[in-house]
Amino acid sequence: MTDSMAGSEETGTPNAPFEDAPAENSAAVQEKAVEQDVEPSAESDIMPEGTKYGTFAGVFVPTLLTILGVIMYLRTGWVVGNAGLIGGLLVIGLAFGIVTATGLSMSSITTNIRIGAGGAYSIISQSLGLEVGGAVGIPLYLAQALAVTMYIFGFREGWLWVFPEHPALLVDLIAFALIFGIAYISASLAFRVQYVILAIIVASLISVAMAAATGSMAMPFGDIQLWGDFPGAPENDFPGVSFWVVFAVFFPAATGIMAGANMSGELKNPRTSIPLGTMSAIGISFVIYVLIAIWLLRSAPTEELLTNYTVMIDMAYWGPPVVAGLLGATFSSALASAVGAPRILQALGNHDILPASGWMSRRTDAGEPRNAMLITGGIVLAALMVRDLNAIAPLITMFFLITYTMINVVVFVEQTLGLVSFRPILRLPRVVSFAGAAGCLMAMFIVNPTFGLAAMAIVVVFYGVLVRRTLDHSMADVRSGLFVSLAEWAAKNVKDLTSRQERAWKPNILVPIRDADTLRGSFLFVQDLAAPKGAVNLLGLDSENASEDLARQVEDLTSAFRKRGVFASSAVVSAERFAPSLTASIQTMQGAFFKPNILFLPLPDDDEREDDYAHLVHTASDQQMGTCIYAPHRRAGLGQRETVNVWINDRSPDWKVSMDIGNLDLPLLLAYKLKRNWKAEMRLLTVVDTEEQAEEARAFLHTLVDLARMPEATVSVHVGAFEPYLSDAPRGDVNIFGLMDPPNFARMREIVARTRTSSLFVLDSGQESALA
């Protein structure tokens, strides 16, 4: 039902079959020698050498003890009684197939990274970032802590089955005191206790083997029901169930595969120990479950398998070792979780994921996370007082399944990205990680779809909270590689589409900067043109005339845009001359996938700059970039940001609307952006000579507003001379006019003076459409 954490004694057992190889022959020694010369990564958890644990006790034993738990003793008979031989083996095989794929994925990723403390949390964080790791790690910690309570309840039920006169609460509290007393003293003591429990479980299996050898399997294979009738459980009067209900009951037995990985910060050689110990435990457990299923089917009639949950005790050669094994399995799982849960909490504290992280991440000189253990003990004790956690037991299982899913997703993402950094010693085909993720998701919704959705929602909430915090991102991850790969995939596919993509247009504004103070004056205006989904590219042109420390100022402006929710990037180039350097930069950027589509320039204030601007407007037009020249009014600025005026030239005598509306697309789109961001009024204005032309102009403008899907825009048509109307027209906080190529800068200054309003002069690129 849950994952456990455990480790081995400090020195291990020299002759143990799963222990690290002798120093003179082991590749692990070479790896250790290399790591001594490498500075520890940010996620590494450096422990005193005496507290490091080996493969056998650190991974194999806790994983094996967690899988060989209560369900093996009390529910295997019921599973095969419902499903029959083939159905029962299919249930066992499917459950172990899912966790085997997950175990292989976990083993693969641990051979590629320097895994730190926290096991699954460390794996996920190093690949998908601290936010995702924390969003999964917090529920995983809570599930691990509450699992201690569930196992104590299970131990109590077994104890009361033997000693029914003992008070239930007293049994719970004594078990709690023993478990946390052992765990608090040291993990090493807990692992020594696990050796005793392993011996008890082995004795129970020997009792079963002796029963099989002495004739308990009296029923021949020919009399065994191959496919069961799935009658259900006796407490429900056998209502009849499906194959998947039986699978849901059995599946928690196969979990617990991350027991070794969750002790990753205290393993001697996690890169070797986790794959070897985990996969060995899974394989041996699978064989044991299959053999027990066959033994039970040949040793007891179907009716007894369905009604007698203790049939394994009754059919064994000697019952007491099996009872002891049942009690030992629950006690061991509780102990392993009590050792492991604080280490997840301590790992979360290392990266400031939770409040008071500094306090809870402290360790003793011997490496014990005592503060985290006190918090965990408090949670478990509080849960014990609730007396019944059956209502949330499925949620605990869901958190473990989400963790398994994310482990598979991490490996699948890394395999798919094809980054050079993904060089695992254990390589897997992508189908393994994909099948593991799909299987875990399937198991979630088979076991309990309601709790599956609830668990996902909780993880999403935690992720949302962590995203809003500023976490320490010194831990490297592959998110940037993921996004770059997605961008490359998109770029390659877009290249195969038609060249015109008006429906996908967004403002991507190029702002050349020689003096950072100039942009500060128009910063909010540029932001409002780009927000929320557009982008700003700041290009610093460094020369003798540029402002001092231009690179730092450009970076500060870039950060300011990003803080306001506008994606911004920047670069600084050496520029002896303004126009040629900017022209070369514009031409170079055309080879990029996310190339700028608008050149934003302030109105020049000298004749030399006017010549440069005329050249730049022409260059931008040749490169299919729009151009905006911003002419602020010295006193009015942008006013109250409540009205945007778009001026449309007299089109008489042809006021017909077509998809080609001339130099109106970019002005309308930018006006609409300002309208949305300012929550302003948008007004279309034009001037004609006669009333007859006025009717045609009104019809044109209303049709244009309708086709452009800007129904709130108002229309104003003036009959008379244009020049006087500039001063008398309804005031706007910004006026948008068309820009000619070459531009007339004197005329621009005159318009600003006559309208007494800041103005934006815009030239289409030909690649945008207000009607698309």
Side-chain angles (χ1 to χ4, degrees):
M1 174 179 170
T2 179
D3 287 321
S4 306
M5 293 183 169
S8 76
E9 300 177 12
E10 290 88 339
T11 58
T13 306
N15 298 322
F18 296 98
E19 197 54 60
D20 299 328
E24 62 272 15
N25 298 323
S26 175
V29 174
Q30 299 177 16
E31 179 179 331
K32 180 178 178 182
V34 170
E35 293 206 2
Q36 288 176 345
D37 296 329
V38 178
E39 183 179 353
S41 59
E43 65 276 4
S44 296
D45 189 35
I46 305 303
M47 295 287 297
E49 183 63 27
T51 61
K52 295 287 186 175
Y53 305 109
T55 304
F56 181 73
V59 182
F60 176 77
V61 171
T63 304
L64 185 70
L65 291 181
T66 304
I67 298 175
L68 301 181
V70 177
I71 291 179
M72 181 185 76
Y73 288 103
L74 299 182
R75 287 296 183 271
T76 305
W78 179 86
V79 168
V80 295
N82 271 277
L85 177 61
I86 295 176
L89 295 181
L90 186 60
V91 167
I92 296 172
L94 184 59
F96 273 90
I98 292 172
V99 296
T100 297
T102 304
L104 287 170
S105 293
M106 180 183 64
S107 299
S108 178
I109 196 69
T110 53
T111 65
N112 185 67
I113 63 175
R114 299 181 66 206
I115 184 172
Y121 161 74
S122 179
I123 292 172
I124 297 169
S125 296
Q126 288 190 55
S127 289
L128 301 180
L130 287 175
E131 292 83 1
V132 178
V136 176
I138 295 171
L140 175 62
Y141 163 72
L142 293 174
Q144 197 79 272
L146 293 175
V148 178
T149 306
M150 300 297 295
Y151 282 129
I152 290 176
F153 286 163
F155 176 84
R156 176 238 296 163
E157 293 300 322
W159 186 270
L160 294 181
W161 185 70
V162 180
F163 304 104
E165 70 280 2
H166 290 179
L169 179 60
L170 181 61
V171 174
D172 289 344
L173 293 176
I174 291 175
F176 167 80
L178 284 174
I179 289 166
F180 272 89
I182 293 170
Y184 191 84
I185 292 171
S186 75
S188 181
L189 175 60
F191 304 148
R192 290 189 178 95
V193 172
Q194 285 194 336
Y195 283 139
V196 176
I197 296 172
L198 177 63
I200 293 173
I201 291 178
V202 169
S204 71
L205 295 176
I206 290 174
S207 177
V208 169
M210 291 179 63
T214 56
S216 70
M217 297 192 296
M219 186 179 299
F221 273 109
D223 296 337
I224 296 176
Q225 190 175 16
L226 297 180
W227 189 264
D229 297 326
F230 298 96
E235 57 268 24
N236 297 326
D237 295 326
F238 298 105
V241 294
S242 68
F243 172 87
W244 297 112
V245 171
V246 176
F247 172 83
V249 171
F250 177 81
F251 182 77
T255 61
I257 60 170
M258 298 198 68
N262 288 337
M263 287 294 293
S264 54
E266 296 168 69
L267 296 175
K268 291 179 183 177
N269 185 3
R271 183 171 293 178
T272 300
S273 295
I274 291 174
L276 180 59
T278 301
M279 299 314 299
S280 298
I282 291 174
I284 292 174
S285 300
F286 173 69
V287 171
I288 290 174
Y289 270 101
V290 169
L291 293 177
I292 287 177
I294 295 174
W295 170 68
L296 286 171
L297 280 168
R298 293 193 61 190
S299 299
T302 299
E303 182 179 354
E304 185 173 0
L305 294 175
L306 291 171
T307 58
N308 183 8
Y309 290 143
T310 60
V311 64
M312 187 171 170
I313 299 173
D314 297 338
M315 299 305 301
Y317 183 81
W318 188 33
V322 181
V323 175
L326 171 61
L327 294 174
T330 53
F331 190 88
S332 169
S333 296
L335 181 60
S337 293
V339 170
R343 282 157 173 81
I344 300 178
L345 183 61
Q346 179 266 331
L348 292 168
N350 281 343
H351 295 103
D352 198 26
I353 300 294
L354 297 171
S357 290
W359 181 81
M360 67 179 61
S361 63
R362 294 176 189 166
R363 288 178 178 268
T364 65
D365 292 339
E368 298 295 331
R370 292 276 168 80
N371 293 345
M373 195 167 294
L374 291 173
I375 295 174
T376 305
I379 292 173
V380 173
L381 185 60
L384 282 175
M385 295 301 101
V386 176
R387 309 306 299 144
D388 186 7
L389 294 183
N390 287 334
I392 65 168
L395 186 63
I396 297 174
T397 301
M398 295 303 114
F399 286 145
F400 289 117
L401 283 173
I402 287 178
T403 304
Y404 297 167
T405 301
M406 293 306 300
I407 292 293
N408 286 291
V409 167
V410 162
V411 176
F412 184 78
V413 167
E414 296 249 27
Q415 290 171 321
T416 303
L417 290 179
L419 299 177
V420 177
S421 62
F422 187 65
R423 303 186 301 276
I425 297 172
L426 176 60
R427 288 192 172 272
L428 302 172
R430 277 192 295 179
V431 67
V432 173
S433 55
F434 179 82
C440 290
L441 287 174
M442 180 193 73
M444 285 178 62
F445 290 99
I446 288 174
V447 172
N448 195 309
T450 301
F451 278 104
L453 291 173
M456 288 183 173
I458 291 172
V459 170
V460 169
V461 169
F462 279 126
Y463 176 77
V465 171
L466 293 177
V467 163
R468 287 168 172 79
R469 296 182 55 197
T470 303
L471 299 178
D472 174 18
H473 286 89
S474 57
M475 179 184 291
D477 57 62
V478 300
R479 286 179 294 178
S480 60
L482 172 61
F483 295 138
V484 169
S485 295
L486 291 174
E488 290 174 347
W489 174 84
K492 292 172 183 177
N493 283 273
V494 167
K495 291 295 184 183
D496 296 332
L497 302 176
T498 58
S499 58
R500 297 183 64 86
Q501 295 292 320
E502 293 95 342
R503 293 290 298 276
W505 182 88
K506 294 179 181 179
N508 192 345
I509 305 172
L510 174 63
V511 185
I513 303 174
R514 299 184 77 174
D515 181 1
D517 290 336
T518 301
L519 177 57
R520 288 191 178 96
S522 57
F523 178 89
L524 293 178
F525 187 60
V526 174
Q527 169 195 295
D528 292 334
L529 290 174
K533 299 297 184 181
V536 176
N537 296 269
L538 303 183
L539 179 64
L541 299 171
D542 197 5
S543 67
E544 293 182 357
N545 298 324
S547 58
E548 296 183 5
D549 199 11
L550 181 64
R552 181 188 60 79
Q553 294 182 42
V554 169
E555 183 59 35
D556 289 344
L557 288 169
T558 303
S559 299
F561 275 116
R562 290 179 176 173
K563 287 179 180 178
R564 291 174 172 269
V566 176
F567 176 76
S569 60
S570 62
V572 178
V573 298
S574 297
E576 293 300 325
R577 297 176 59 194
F578 178 75
S581 299
L582 182 53
T583 297
S585 298
I586 290 173
Q587 292 170 339
T588 302
M589 290 178 181
Q590 298 310 300
F593 176 64
F594 296 108
K595 57 187 178 183
N597 54 21
I598 299 174
L599 175 63
F600 183 90
L601 300 167
L603 186 68
D605 51 11
D606 58 67
D607 294 340
E608 180 183 357
R609 189 62 60 83
E610 288 182 2
D611 293 337
D612 287 344
Y613 273 33
H615 174 72
L616 291 170
V617 170
H618 186 71
T619 298
S621 182
D622 285 346
Q623 299 297 326
Q624 295 184 323
M625 285 180 63
T627 302
C628 295
I629 298 181
Y630 177 52
H633 191 277
R634 292 183 182 275
R635 287 179 296 176
L638 291 172
Q640 296 175 312
R641 291 178 170 85
E642 291 182 349
T643 307
V644 180
N645 285 344
V646 182
W647 289 80
I648 298 173
N649 290 335
D650 184 358
R651 291 173 167 245
S652 301
D654 185 11
W655 285 96
K656 293 181 181 178
V657 177
S658 64
M659 289 301 295
D660 182 7
I661 57 176
N663 187 29
L664 278 179
D665 293 299
L666 188 54
L668 286 173
L669 291 172
L670 292 181
Y672 182 72
K673 294 281 292 181
L674 293 175
K675 173 189 178 301
R676 290 286 301 274
N677 289 324
W678 290 355
K679 296 180 174 58
E681 177 187 353
M682 179 176 169
R683 185 187 297 123
L684 276 59
L685 304 96
T686 191
V687 180
V688 296
D689 296 330
T690 66
E691 285 292 345
E692 183 179 351
Q693 292 172 348
E695 290 300 321
E696 294 178 355
R698 288 190 185 91
F700 172 86
L701 294 179
H702 284 296
T703 303
L704 183 63
V705 166
D706 181 59
L707 293 177
R709 305 178 299 283
M710 302 176 184
E712 296 178 357
T714 59
V715 169
S716 178
V717 178
H718 176 73
V719 179
F722 179 77
E723 294 301 328
Y725 187 63
L726 273 177
S727 301
D728 299 333
R731 290 287 294 274
D733 293 306
V734 65
N735 285 317
I736 300 180
F737 295 91
L739 174 66
M740 301 299 294
D741 183 10
N744 185 335
F745 297 103
R747 176 61 171 162
M748 293 181 195
R749 295 187 184 95
E750 181 185 356
I751 288 175
V752 172
R754 298 280 296 276
T755 60
R756 306 182 306 281
T757 303
S758 297
S759 297
L760 187 68
F761 299 91
V762 181
L763 179 62
D764 276 358
S765 70
Q767 298 300 303
E768 58 278 304
S769 173
L771 307 184

Coordinates of all heavy atoms in Angstrom, one line a residue, residues 416-417 484-498 592-594:
T416 N 12.8 11.3 -24.5 CA 12.3 11.9 -25.7 C 13.1 13.1 -26.0 O 13.3 13.4 -27.2 CB 10.8 12.3 -25.4 OG1 10.1 11.2 -25.0 CG2 10.2 13.0 -26.6
L417 N 13.6 13.9 -25.1 CA 14.4 15.1 -25.4 C 15.7 14.8 -26.1 O 16.1 15.6 -26.9 CB 14.7 15.9 -24.1 CG 13.5 16.5 -23.4 CD1 14.0 17.2 -22.1 CD2 12.8 17.5 -24.3
V484 N 12.8 24.0 -25.0 CA 13.5 24.2 -26.3 C 13.1 23.2 -27.3 O 12.9 23.4 -28.5 CB 15.0 24.3 -26.0 CG1 15.8 24.2 -27.3 CG2 15.4 25.5 -25.3
S485 N 13.0 21.9 -26.8 CA 12.7 20.8 -27.7 C 11.3 21.0 -28.3 O 11.0 20.8 -29.4 CB 12.7 19.5 -27.0 OG 14.1 19.2 -26.6
L486 N 10.3 21.5 -27.4 CA 9.0 21.8 -27.9 C 9.0 22.9 -28.9 O 8.3 22.8 -30.0 CB 8.1 22.2 -26.7 CG 7.7 21.0 -25.7 CD1 6.9 21.6 -24.6 CD2 6.9 20.0 -26.4
A487 N 9.8 23.9 -28.7 CA 10.0 25.0 -29.6 C 10.6 24.5 -30.9 O 10.1 24.9 -32.0 CB 10.8 26.1 -29.0
E488 N 11.6 23.7 -30.9 CA 12.2 23.1 -32.1 C 11.2 22.3 -32.9 O 11.1 22.4 -34.1 CB 13.4 22.3 -31.7 CG 14.6 23.1 -31.2 CD 15.7 22.2 -30.8 OE1 15.5 21.0 -30.6 OE2 16.8 22.7 -30.6
W489 N 10.4 21.5 -32.1 CA 9.4 20.7 -32.8 C 8.4 21.6 -33.5 O 8.0 21.4 -34.6 CB 8.7 19.8 -31.8 CG 7.5 19.0 -32.3 CD1 7.5 17.9 -33.0 CD2 6.1 19.4 -32.2 NE1 6.3 17.5 -33.3 CE2 5.4 18.4 -32.9 CE3 5.5 20.5 -31.7 CZ2 4.0 18.5 -33.0 CZ3 4.1 20.6 -31.8 CH2 3.4 19.6 -32.4
A490 N 7.9 22.6 -32.8 CA 7.0 23.6 -33.4 C 7.6 24.3 -34.6 O 6.9 24.4 -35.6 CB 6.5 24.6 -32.3
A491 N 8.8 24.7 -34.5 CA 9.5 25.4 -35.6 C 9.5 24.5 -36.8 O 9.2 25.0 -37.9 CB 10.9 25.9 -35.2
K492 N 9.9 23.3 -36.6 CA 10.0 22.4 -37.8 C 8.6 22.1 -38.4 O 8.5 22.0 -39.7 CB 10.6 21.0 -37.3 CG 12.1 21.1 -36.9 CD 12.6 19.9 -36.3 CE 14.0 20.0 -35.8 NZ 14.5 18.8 -35.1
N493 N 7.6 22.0 -37.6 CA 6.3 21.8 -38.2 C 5.7 23.1 -38.8 O 5.0 23.0 -39.8 CB 5.3 21.3 -37.1 CG 5.5 19.8 -36.8 OD1 5.0 18.9 -37.4 ND2 6.4 19.6 -35.8
V494 N 6.0 24.2 -38.2 CA 5.5 25.5 -38.8 C 6.1 25.7 -40.2 O 5.5 26.3 -41.1 CB 5.8 26.7 -37.8 CG1 5.6 28.0 -38.5 CG2 4.8 26.6 -36.6
K495 N 7.4 25.3 -40.3 CA 8.1 25.5 -41.6 C 7.4 24.8 -42.7 O 7.5 25.2 -43.9 CB 9.5 25.0 -41.5 CG 10.4 25.9 -40.6 CD 10.6 27.3 -41.1 CE 11.5 28.1 -40.3 NZ 11.7 29.5 -40.7
D496 N 6.6 23.7 -42.4 CA 5.9 23.0 -43.4 C 4.6 23.6 -43.8 O 3.9 23.1 -44.7 CB 5.7 21.5 -43.0 CG 7.1 20.8 -42.8 OD1 8.0 21.2 -43.5 OD2 7.2 19.9 -42.0
L497 N 4.1 24.6 -43.0 CA 2.8 25.2 -43.2 C 3.0 26.4 -44.2 O 4.1 26.7 -44.6 CB 2.2 25.7 -41.9 CG 2.0 24.6 -40.8 CD1 1.5 25.3 -39.6 CD2 1.1 23.5 -41.3
T498 N 1.9 26.9 -44.6 CA 1.9 28.1 -45.5 C 2.6 29.2 -44.8 O 2.6 29.3 -43.5 CB 0.5 28.5 -45.8 OG1 -0.2 28.8 -44.6 CG2 -0.2 27.4 -46.6
A592 N 15.8 33.7 -37.2 CA 15.3 33.1 -36.0 C 13.8 32.6 -36.2 O 13.1 33.2 -37.0 CB 15.4 34.0 -34.8
F593 N 13.4 31.6 -35.4 CA 12.0 31.2 -35.5 C 11.1 32.3 -34.8 O 10.1 32.7 -35.4 CB 11.9 29.9 -34.7 CG 10.4 29.4 -34.7 CD1 9.8 29.1 -35.9 CD2 9.8 29.3 -33.5 CE1 8.4 28.7 -35.8 CE2 8.5 28.8 -33.5 CZ 7.8 28.5 -34.6
F594 N 11.5 32.7 -33.7 CA 10.7 33.8 -33.0 C 11.3 35.1 -33.3 O 11.9 35.8 -32.5 CB 10.7 33.6 -31.5 CG 10.0 32.3 -31.1 CD1 10.7 31.2 -30.6 CD2 8.6 32.2 -31.2 CE1 10.1 30.0 -30.2 CE2 8.0 31.0 -30.8 CZ 8.7 29.9 -30.3

